[in-house]
Amino acid sequence: MPLYDYEISGLVVGRMNYQIFNINKYTSLLPIDLGLIWGSNVANKAYQDKRIKFKQDSRWCWVWWEGDAVFNLDEFSNNHLFTKEKDLSDKAKKINRGDQITIKGKLVDVTATPLEDNGIPGQDTITWKSSTTREDKGAGACEIIYVEDIEVLKKGNMLSRFLFWFSFYGLILIII
């Protein structure tokens, strides 16, 4: 159910592709989550402050900090993404932490019933409601976005990305 046209630009601080780590039968409906920050959080370089930590997991994006670190919770969001367009889905799968992005689409509420193996609707209907305000926190504060366009404005640190994948594949080779 479309609620509003929506556009957001921000810095990716958390990312989870649930098609890789399948957690339930609704994974294909909302396969990717992105944690974003913008505004004063980017201007103040909160993402570089070692006292501020981000974690993305199990449909949640958390931020916490120690001491007197400055962070604006109204400029932080967890975004559940989905689209019917394969090219947009492929673009979303390539987004990584540190990328600067813009997403355009619609905020939506979702009601879904998975099909059983025989193609008949099952019993486990879910309803997820999108947040439509910046002031909410915790469960229900996520934006559910039907993606109509997604653009990577600037890729994150390519050296650290290269070193990560080089180390990852090196570890696999050592194990083999």
Side-chain angles (χ1 to χ4, degrees), residues 14 22 30 43 48 76 127-128 133 147 153 162:
N22 189 352
L30 298 164
Q48 291 180 338
F76 166 70
T127 300
W128 286 9
T133 179
V147 178
L153 304 172
F162 169 78

Side-chain angles (χ1 to χ4, degrees), residues 14-16 18 31-35 56 59 78-81:
R15 176 190 177 278
M16 183 62 73
Y18 293 101
I32 296 174
D33 287 355
L34 295 177
Q56 184 89 29
R59 301 290 178 189
N78 187 30
N79 304 272
H80 305 306
L81 308 182

Side-chain angles (χ1 to χ4, degrees), residues 17-62:
N17 180 345
Y18 293 101
Q19 291 176 321
I20 295 171
F21 301 103
N22 189 352
I23 61 172
N24 63 37
K25 55 189 159 195
Y26 303 102
T27 297
S28 62
L29 178 63
L30 298 164
I32 296 174
D33 287 355
L34 295 177
L36 297 176
I37 62 170
W38 61 89
S40 64
N41 288 332
V42 173
N44 296 336
K45 298 187 178 182
Y47 57 93
Q48 291 180 338
D49 189 330
K50 300 294 185 205
R51 297 170 297 175
I52 299 174
K53 309 286 185 213
F54 300 96
K55 182 179 180 185
Q56 184 89 29
D57 192 19
S58 300
R59 301 290 178 189
W60 294 80
C61 188
W62 292 280

Side-chain angles (χ1 to χ4, degrees), residues 107-171:
L107 287 181
V108 296
D109 288 343
V110 175
T111 299
T113 303
L115 299 177
E116 300 292 338
D117 293 335
N118 58 9
I120 297 173
Q123 302 295 319
D124 300 327
T125 299
I126 62 154
T127 300
W128 286 9
K129 296 198 173 287
S130 181
S131 169
T132 57
T133 179
R134 289 284 168 228
E135 289 78 36
D136 54 0
K137 310 285 183 269
C142 303
E143 283 72 27
I144 303 172
I145 306 171
Y146 179 80
V147 178
E148 296 172 332
D149 188 30
I150 193 164
E151 182 180 358
V152 176
L153 304 172
K154 185 175 179 185
K155 293 298 273 176
N157 187 329
M158 296 303 286
L159 177 61
S160 67
R161 188 170 298 153
F162 169 78
L163 291 173
F164 170 80
W165 287 111
F166 181 79
S167 301
F168 176 75
Y169 288 118
L171 181 61

